[in-house]
Amino acid sequence: MASTLLLVVVFVIDLVAFALAVAAEHRRATASTGVDSSNETYCVYGSDIATGLGVGSLLALMASQIIIMAVSRCMCCGKALRPGSSRAWAIALFITCWVTFIIAELCLLAGSVRNAYHTKYRTAFSANPPSCETLRKGVFGAGAAFIVFTGIVSELYYVYYTKANDGFQPNIDAGIRMGTYK
């Protein structure tokens, strides 16, 4: 039987990761041009909070994935799963869980790095007017969408894993059985 407490904890962590990713999407850096005292045009970037929110979301999603994989022993360690549809679903959801997790992490990491790059390191340009590039709209949003997918799939994976893992004892009896003699 799947642990309800574990499912609630993982759901809350995934919810926090989703909220941080959505907040990062709304607080992306904005850019405008400015002119300094020597009449040089440069880019002025707004707040850098989206980078921190994106990294926080990345870490929360990673914690959620670590918890699920640690409890299920990453499906590669431990006793064999009971054959049947629950095992098939557990294997399919395990693979899907990792794929959606990697996509979500890549979106969050790329968004955080790209947002930090523009806000911290690109301040002056020789081009007139300078190209004040910012993070594309939707990078953190895509990460948030894949956080939802990862949360759903990882919890389903855990439920099917526990169904396939409950009470299975492989039949080790290798003796010769004899039927009734008539």
Side-chain angles (χ1 to χ4, degrees):
M1 183 69 181
S3 170
T4 308
L5 177 63
L6 179 77
L7 291 173
V8 168
V9 167
V10 169
F11 175 76
V12 168
I13 293 172
D14 286 338
L15 190 63
V16 167
F18 175 77
L20 289 173
V22 169
E25 178 65 32
H26 288 293
R27 297 296 307 255
R28 287 178 300 111
T30 56
S32 61
T33 56
V35 179
D36 62 4
S37 59
S38 62
N39 210 15
E40 297 264 340
T41 307
Y42 62 96
C43 292
V44 178
Y45 289 98
S47 167
D48 188 30
I49 194 161
T51 300
L53 293 171
V55 170
S57 177
L58 181 135
L59 293 175
L61 182 62
M62 189 178 297
S64 166
Q65 187 78 355
I66 287 171
I67 289 170
I68 288 286
M69 292 304 145
V71 170
S72 69
R73 293 182 210 107
C74 200
M75 207 167 127
C76 55
C77 302
K79 62 184 182 178
L81 298 177
R82 182 171 28 127
S85 65
S86 293
R87 181 173 75 173
W89 276 109
I91 292 169
L93 290 168
F94 175 79
I95 294 167
T96 307
C97 175
W98 275 105
V99 169
T100 58
F101 169 75
I102 289 170
I103 293 170
E105 290 286 306
L106 287 175
C107 287
L108 295 170
L109 183 65
S112 296
V113 168
R114 189 85 167 150
N115 193 65
Y117 178 73
H118 287 303
T119 57
K120 289 190 175 180
Y121 304 114
R122 292 184 92 171
T123 54
F125 295 92
S126 59
N128 196 9
S131 168
C132 298
E133 297 175 5
T134 58
L135 179 66
R136 274 185 64 186
K137 222 177 189 178
V139 175
F140 287 119
F146 277 99
I147 287 171
V148 171
F149 295 148
T150 302
I152 292 168
V153 171
S154 66
E155 291 196 15
L156 284 174
Y157 156 71
Y158 176 68
V159 168
Y160 279 104
Y161 174 82
T162 55
K163 277 185 184 179
N165 199 22
D166 284 345
F168 176 61
Q169 296 292 332
N171 189 4
I172 304 175
D173 185 21
I176 299 173
R177 299 194 181 258
M178 300 182 75
T180 59
Y181 180 73
K182 291 188 182 186

